[in-house]
Amino acid sequence: MHILTSQVGEHNAVVLSQKALAQLVGGSERGVRDALALLQSDNWIETRQIGGRGTVNAYIINDRVAWNGKRDGIRYSLFSARVILSEEEQPDRDQLDHQQPLRQLPGVYPGEQQLPSGPGMPPPSQPFFDGMEPDLPVREQRHED
């Protein structure tokens, strides 16, 4: 319980595998499963399964999961959680320090505007309401010959 509580932060939930939790507590996966079952049966935590095997779960402490109804009778839960990954569980763990950096979107500084390019779309059939004009006006680029 102390390890889970130390990981939830302000989110009241943490997502991790039983193997990663066993590494954090310095115990066995079987011991972790038994401890989690006890914490759940005594209403200390709520467990929500992620994926089909049940070895990766969201553990919720002092909070209830909000369930939303969707079409076809499927219900979804939405909550914030800290997600913990273990290097040992990654299929590409030998390449983790040698990956290409991810692309980044350019930042916009205070006072700058985004300038879209391209032909744009035709104007809408109804004018915009005052104060609700689009944030990114379309400007045509002139091509000089």
Side-chain angles (χ1 to χ4, degrees), residues 48-106:
R48 292 291 161 209
Q49 183 173 318
I50 299 174
R53 292 185 36 204
T55 58
V56 178
N57 297 299
Y59 301 102
I60 299 99
I61 300 172
N62 295 331
D63 200 6
R64 298 302 288 177
V65 177
W67 291 91
N68 296 317
K70 294 286 184 186
R71 65 183 116 144
D72 299 331
I74 299 174
R75 296 190 322 158
Y76 292 93
S77 173
L78 177 64
F79 57 92
S80 297
R82 180 177 289 183
V83 179
I84 300 175
L85 303 175
S86 170
E87 178 181 325
E88 293 180 7
E89 296 175 308
Q90 304 307 309
D92 61 347
R93 66 177 168 250
D94 57 336
Q95 301 169 9
L96 288 178
D97 293 329
H98 309 291
Q99 294 175 318
Q100 293 288 330
L102 294 175
R103 294 177 185 246
Q104 295 184 0
L105 294 174

Side-chain angles (χ1 to χ4, degrees), residues 3-4 14-37 40 45 47-50 53-59 84-86 88-89:
I3 295 294
L4 288 176
V14 61
V15 175
L16 75 162
S17 68
Q18 292 173 356
K19 183 176 182 178
L21 185 55
Q23 289 174 338
L24 285 174
V25 300
S28 68
E29 289 182 56
R30 178 65 186 164
V32 164
R33 280 193 297 274
D34 292 344
L36 290 170
Q40 188 171 356
I45 64 172
T47 303
R48 292 291 161 209
Q49 183 173 318
I50 299 174
R53 292 185 36 204
T55 58
V56 178
N57 297 299
Y59 301 102
I84 300 175
L85 303 175
S86 170
E88 293 180 7
E89 296 175 308

Side-chain angles (χ1 to χ4, degrees), residues 117-124 138-140:
S117 61
M121 297 175 62
V138 176
R139 297 184 184 182
E140 287 190 34

